[in-house]
Amino acid sequence: MTDAISLSRRSFIATSLAGGAVLTLDASVVLAATTTTAPSDVLNAFVRINADNSVTIGAKNPEIGQGVKVMLPMLIAEEMDLAWEQVRIEQTDADETRYGPQVAGGSTATPRNWLPMRQVGAAARAMLVAAAAKKWSVDPSSLSTAKGAVIHAASGKSATYASLAKAAAAEAAPDLAKVPLKDEKTFTIIGKSKPGVDVPKIVTGQPLFGIDTRLPGMVHAAVVKCPAHGGTVASIDDAAVKAIPGVLAVTAVNSGFVPEGKSDTVVIIADSWWKASKAREKLGVKWDDATVTGFTTAKYEADAAKLVTAAPQASLLKTGDADGTLAKAAKVIKADYDYPFLAHASLEPQNCTALFKDGKLEIWAPSQAPAGGRAETAKLCGLSPDDLTIHLTRMGGGFGRRLMNDYMVIAGQAAKALPGKPVKVLYDRTDDFRHDFYRPAGWHRFTAGLDASGALVALKDHFVTFGKDGKPIRAAQMAPTEFPAPVVPNVDLGISYMATNLATGWLRAPTSNAMSFVWQSFMDEVAEAAGLDLPEFMRRTLGAPREIPGERVGFHTARARGVIDAVCKSAGWKGREKGRGFGFYFSHLGYFAEIVDLSMKNGAVSIDKVWVAGDIGAHVINPINAMNQAQGCVIDGIGQALIGQKIVQEAGAITAENFGDFALMRIDAAPRAIAVEFVKTDFPPTGLGEPALPPVIPALANAIYSLTGKRHRRLPLEMV
């Protein structure tokens, strides 16, 4: 299991608050003990039992639409034996010393928290039972719990959790590693659909997101950034800007992308954002960008075309003798595949509000990784990380963009330049497109060899991407365990790097969103050469049920086969049929297989239906949200694959200005139906924000080929 965490008794603190009406249980995932007291109306821990017997549960992870704000409290509530109607949910602040990792990325929330959050709830229940046992002078084992009450069946006595809160707070916290957990067969909350806690506010347009932040005396900031990524400020002429009534300050800051001591962003602060934005037209900035203006999309294409024909600069994996086996193979299949840079294109542009006062910095941030933002902001503001308080706001889209905290870093420096006033930094749409952290482009030259029986016996890939000092830049990696490399006897995976000035970052289903396309599309070509459809070729290549070791986690061939068989059965797959395409991928601990059905009418291709089968372990914690996540992944993946999503660079700068230059998925292009099935297996549950996305891209490409006879080997795809 990836990034597993555990709780200990030392990190589980019970505190009596506000006259004993409230029990606070602070269950940190670090071992250092802390003691916390606060008024009963302040959430400072995971659990707060209120006087009316409702229970407030803190949701610690950032909410980005993945449903974690409900999912994590469900785990605690289940083990506390609550009725869901009793539960109230509040977003916690960012405080990893108390709550442990608080990240929205990598589909890690479920595997990281499945046991720890259940242990939090079980420990709370144990303390309440202990308090009741003392009150009634009975053995704790004679007591049961249900719907927020402790029950002694023999005497008919019962007591609400609220009535026991003060006494329970005095009980010693149990050893969380040994606290008994519920029999999974008795779950009443886990596995039952629970709606999003923020949905009423979202559909009625109530303030909720970072962009909605309003504070007394707040002022507004617009940014001016060097068009060519990596360029820095040489000089500023701000006289005309400062002469504008309502402009309060002009300051140069470091977004975190350039070396310390340099500035790549100028912030204009005014009494309204519109005034600050318009003032940018009068700002004179000279940029030091001579070393970064030579990067263009055309140059990348030309350089990659040369590199891919040469020997790789480095080896990722070599097993057996790929060249020797290819020379004797019954059939050899070759193909080149590539994909472009992509933007995140979140609907809510980047924003952050900060207040610097009395040497402390208070921040309201829609961040997927607030701990990283805390460290970087503190460093560039010359503060200690402990001097920062970070309030987490809901995010209006992120897809990995908000794992990077440039907006927080800029807001912190802007607020420090104007102490005592909350400063709200807001990117406009062009700022967002031109200063993203992009999914890197990549080029692949594949060669595969089949023996006389059609078995895959040799495989080569020369992957050209972006790197520095012989290492890939962020999000440009390829794992040596890309399927089917681990099950092929003769493999040669090589890599070569080019330079880029662009900031890069993780896009939803990072690396997998690109690798799934090239590997599964090429495997469809290989399967066809073997006289098989892709599902059957996958079954034969997977071989016997077993676990194949990986860099971080193993790959279970039986789980892969399980979802392949399930989706083929549900879709009625009969082999190669016109207008149908298949794709499989394992990523973020999830196994998913998908089938895309297309049709053509009057020369126009439409996506009729997508079939999805996924294995995320033994439990689907919140079924309605799981369904939404899988369907959203499919739509997002198709959007990444279709024509219109491509980032173009000229003279070191990005050309896109708005959604007209980077089209998002429209309703009329979405599948008419998306059928989702979960294959339950005897493994701990894993995340769902990402693993359902990758397979749909090759499934779509393979479906286009089966419908039109045209093999698409580069993204974005054309639906013809």
Side-chain angles (χ1 to χ4, degrees):
M1 190 62 66
T2 305
D3 294 327
I5 59 173
S6 61
L7 302 171
S8 76
R9 178 163 39 191
R10 290 181 60 231
S11 61
F12 187 92
I13 312 299
T15 308
S16 177
L17 300 179
V22 177
L23 169 65
T24 296
L25 300 172
D26 180 349
S28 171
V29 290
V30 295
L31 297 182
T34 59
T35 301
T36 306
T37 58
S40 61
D41 61 348
V42 175
L43 178 66
N44 70 338
F46 283 107
V47 175
R48 188 170 73 233
I49 300 176
N50 304 309
D52 64 356
N53 209 38
S54 64
V55 179
T56 301
I57 299 178
K60 72 183 184 74
N61 279 21
E63 175 58 59
I64 198 170
Q66 80 281 39
V68 74
K69 193 171 179 179
V70 171
M71 186 274 287
L72 293 181
M74 287 176 69
L75 303 180
I76 295 173
E78 179 68 75
E79 293 293 345
M80 280 191 72
D81 234 352
L82 297 171
W84 187 247
E85 293 73 22
Q86 294 173 264
V87 176
R88 310 290 181 263
I89 297 173
E90 292 183 11
Q91 178 72 59
T92 73
D93 283 345
D95 186 350
E96 291 211 344
T97 62
R98 178 176 299 173
Y99 302 113
Q102 293 174 279
V103 178
S107 296
T108 57
T110 298
R112 275 180 167 172
N113 294 288
W114 168 248
L115 283 177
M117 293 298 98
R118 290 177 63 200
Q119 289 168 336
V120 168
R125 176 184 175 276
M127 295 168 72
L128 289 158
V129 167
K134 285 184 178 179
K135 180 179 179 178
W136 297 327
S137 299
V138 297
D139 191 317
S141 64
S142 67
L143 301 177
S144 62
T145 55
K147 298 182 179 180
V150 180
I151 302 161
H152 186 235
S155 64
K157 294 178 180 178
S158 67
T160 64
Y161 285 177
S163 69
L164 296 166
K166 183 176 180 179
E171 292 292 325
D175 184 340
L176 298 186
K178 298 179 180 178
V179 65
L181 300 176
K182 290 178 69 172
D183 184 336
E184 296 179 6
K185 296 184 180 65
T186 67
F187 284 166
T188 60
I189 293 176
I190 293 173
K192 303 295 189 297
S193 291
K194 306 300 178 188
V197 66
D198 290 334
V199 169
K201 289 185 177 181
I202 292 171
V203 299
T204 55
Q206 297 181 48
L208 185 65
F209 300 92
I211 201 171
D212 297 324
T213 301
R214 298 286 187 273
L215 298 171
M218 187 173 74
V219 295
H220 304 265
V223 299
V224 178
K225 300 175 75 68
C226 182
H229 285 231
T232 56
V233 174
S235 64
I236 302 174
D237 180 359
D238 59 6
V241 172
K242 287 183 174 179
I244 299 172
V247 170
L248 305 173
V250 178
T251 185
V253 303
N254 185 331
S255 72
F257 184 60
V258 296
E260 284 189 74
K262 300 283 189 178
S263 299
D264 61 349
T265 304
V266 180
V267 180
I268 300 173
I269 306 173
D271 56 15
S272 75
W273 184 85
W274 181 248
K275 189 175 292 183
S277 179
K278 293 297 289 181
R280 294 184 292 186
E281 299 171 3
K282 296 187 177 183
L283 183 70
V285 185
K286 290 185 178 179
W287 303 103
D288 182 359
D289 60 0
T291 62
V292 293
T293 54
F295 295 96
T296 68
T297 297
K299 188 175 187 303
Y300 296 147
E301 294 275 1
D303 290 348
K306 293 177 183 178
L307 279 173
V308 78
T309 63
Q313 296 170 0
S315 175
L316 287 176
L317 176 67
K318 275 194 176 182
T319 58
D321 179 8
D323 287 329
T325 306
L326 286 168
K328 298 182 291 184
K331 288 185 179 180
V332 175
I333 305 94
K334 297 182 178 181
D336 290 353
Y337 280 81
D338 65 85
Y339 44 85
F341 282 96
L342 287 183
H344 292 85
S346 56
L347 289 181
E348 179 193 22
Q350 309 316 303
N351 65 88
C352 186
T353 303
L355 170 63
F356 182 73
K357 186 176 180 180
D358 300 328
K360 307 288 186 180
L361 192 59
E362 190 171 7
I363 294 173
W364 291 258
S367 172
Q368 291 182 243
R374 179 191 299 276
E376 194 170 12
T377 302
K379 181 179 179 180
L380 288 171
C381 288
L383 301 172
S384 164
D386 293 337
D387 292 331
L388 275 63
T389 298
I390 301 175
H391 307 293
L392 295 177
T393 67
R394 190 179 174 108
M395 290 163 271
F399 316 109
R401 172 62 179 91
R402 287 182 161 95
L403 289 167
M404 315 310 298
N405 288 286
D406 50 312
Y407 45 87
M408 190 189 302
V409 170
I410 291 170
Q413 293 169 85
K416 194 175 180 185
L418 204 65
K421 285 188 175 291
V423 179
K424 181 178 183 177
V425 173
L426 176 64
Y427 287 22
D428 66 18
R429 189 66 65 192
T430 301
D431 298 331
D432 226 5
F433 269 115
R434 292 188 173 176
H435 297 282
D436 199 346
F437 289 76
Y438 306 94
R439 192 282 302 274
W443 294 259
H444 295 256
R445 173 155 289 183
F446 287 111
T447 308
L450 299 173
D451 66 12
S453 68
L456 181 59
V457 292
L459 179 65
K460 292 185 70 173
D461 177 29
H462 184 181
F463 174 35
V464 176
T465 187
F466 298 90
K468 185 177 181 180
D469 301 326
K471 295 180 180 180
I473 58 175
R474 183 169 44 225
Q477 298 85 354
M478 181 175 78
T481 53
E482 284 292 335
F483 187 85
V487 297
V488 179
N490 304 284
V491 179
D492 187 351
L493 305 183
I495 191 165
S496 295
Y497 301 114
M498 301 186 295
T500 182
N501 68 319
L502 290 182
T504 57
W506 299 280
L507 177 67
R508 188 178 189 181
T511 71
S512 305
N513 53 48
M515 296 300 165
S516 61
F517 164 64
V518 300
W519 284 92
Q520 281 286 286
S521 296
F522 181 60
M523 283 301 102
D524 192 55
E525 295 195 54
V526 177
E528 186 176 43
L532 301 169
D533 61 22
L534 183 52
E536 182 57 27
F537 184 77
M538 288 287 294
R539 293 184 188 99
R540 297 186 186 188
T541 304
L542 284 164
R546 65 201 186 282
E547 181 178 359
I548 300 171
E551 287 185 310
R552 298 179 70 184
V553 295
F555 175 82
H556 292 263
T557 60
R559 297 181 74 181
R561 173 140 187 176
V563 296
I564 292 170
D565 291 347
V567 80
C568 288
K569 180 179 180 180
S570 61
W573 179 270
K574 299 175 183 177
R576 290 189 178 272
E577 296 180 79
K578 190 172 183 178
R580 306 196 95 183
F582 170 89
F584 163 84
Y585 207 73
F586 167 66
S587 70
H588 302 87
L589 306 181
Y591 297 76
F592 277 83
E594 301 178 17
I595 291 171
V596 171
D597 285 357
L598 303 179
S599 63
M600 181 181 291
K601 186 176 182 181
N602 299 325
V605 176
S606 63
I607 305 174
D608 296 329
K609 190 167 185 175
V610 178
W611 308 81
V612 179
D615 176 356
I616 55 170
H619 296 280
V620 179
I621 296 170
N622 189 357
I624 189 172
N625 187 67
M627 187 74 66
N628 292 341
Q629 284 296 297
Q631 292 174 334
C633 277
V634 166
I635 293 171
D636 204 5
I638 292 171
Q640 288 182 15
L642 290 177
I643 192 71
Q645 290 213 1
K646 180 178 182 179
I647 285 296
V648 176
Q649 188 179 8
E650 295 177 1
I654 299 303
T655 61
E657 293 186 349
N658 212 317
F659 290 117
D661 306 310
F662 192 89
L664 294 187
M665 191 76 166
R666 300 296 182 96
I667 291 176
D668 59 355
R672 303 297 181 267
I674 303 172
V676 180
E677 174 186 359
F678 290 104
V679 179
K680 293 185 179 180
T681 53
D682 191 22
F683 293 88
T686 55
L688 195 52
E690 290 162 303
L693 186 153
V696 76
I697 301 175
L700 176 59
N702 295 337
I704 293 172
Y705 170 69
S706 73
L707 181 66
T708 67
K710 182 178 180 181
R711 182 73 73 176
H712 291 272
R713 298 187 178 95
R714 68 182 330 191
L715 295 178
L717 301 171
E718 298 180 24
M719 294 285 282
V720 292

